Amino acid sequence: MKQFWTMVAAAALVISCGEKKEEKNDGGFEMNRTKKEAPAAKASEGVPVDLSNNGVGPIKELTFPDEIDAELAAQGEAKFSTICVACHQAEQRMIGPALKGVYERRSPAWVMNMILNPDRMLKEDPIAQALLKEYNNAIMLNQNLTEEEARAVAEYLRTL
């Protein structure tokens, strides 16, 4: 009986030391977790910088005061940390674009409308549609924020 198990062990050793086979990926799902930094002032590939577009939604125009409202930004950071970080980071692309320097690429009204009204923006706004295409049709979900909550998030984005 000992001889039988010795032979089985020896055969297993010979087989395991054999030639390593290469596995081919036939177009299946592959995930690459390489971090890419998004330059703050540059637009994403194929997506233009457009500060004149206010988007589609309830906000027709928005101008920020010169000074950042620290209390409002803190409220926005708390909201951002609970609902936005799943898809957005400040300085790196994820499911959605990096948001540092967003106001160098988009108007405050456009950002507010995207936060408040992503469904309609993705249907009607050319920049939102270009971003959707660039980010593999990853749809920004409507978080049903109030205008006050969206304004707080917008203020927080100014601090990035």
Side-chain angles (χ1 to χ4, degrees), residues 1-134:
M1 187 74 162
K2 267 188 176 182
Q3 261 186 330
F4 173 74
W5 288 112
T6 305
M7 288 178 66
V8 169
L13 182 62
V14 169
I15 291 171
S16 68
C17 291
E19 195 175 309
K20 187 175 183 179
K21 293 183 181 179
E22 246 183 66
E23 292 183 29
K24 290 184 180 179
N25 184 352
D26 294 331
F29 180 77
E30 187 176 312
M31 186 166 187
N32 183 351
R33 290 193 171 254
T34 305
K35 293 181 180 180
K36 295 180 181 176
E37 302 250 342
K42 288 180 90 178
S44 300
E45 259 181 59
V47 181
V49 171
D50 187 351
L51 297 173
S52 65
N53 179 350
N54 287 335
V56 181
I59 309 301
K60 302 302 178 204
E61 191 174 321
L62 176 64
T63 305
F64 290 133
D66 290 337
E67 296 214 11
I68 292 174
D69 181 333
E71 185 178 324
L72 188 61
Q75 292 170 11
E77 181 177 17
K79 186 61 74 175
F80 183 90
S81 297
T82 58
I83 62 172
C84 304
V85 295
C87 298
H88 296 281
Q89 292 286 315
E91 295 188 38
Q92 70 185 40
R93 294 172 54 117
M94 289 187 54
I95 294 169
L99 294 175
K100 183 176 182 178
V102 69
Y103 298 117
E104 295 169 13
R105 302 182 303 270
R106 309 284 170 255
S107 73
W110 189 95
V111 172
M112 284 283 292
N113 282 320
M114 192 66 189
I115 293 170
L116 290 169
N117 196 19
D119 305 322
R120 190 164 168 216
M121 287 282 286
L122 292 170
K123 286 180 186 172
E124 298 178 29
D125 182 77
I127 292 175
Q129 291 169 348
L131 286 167
L132 179 66
K133 184 178 178 182
E134 182 174 328

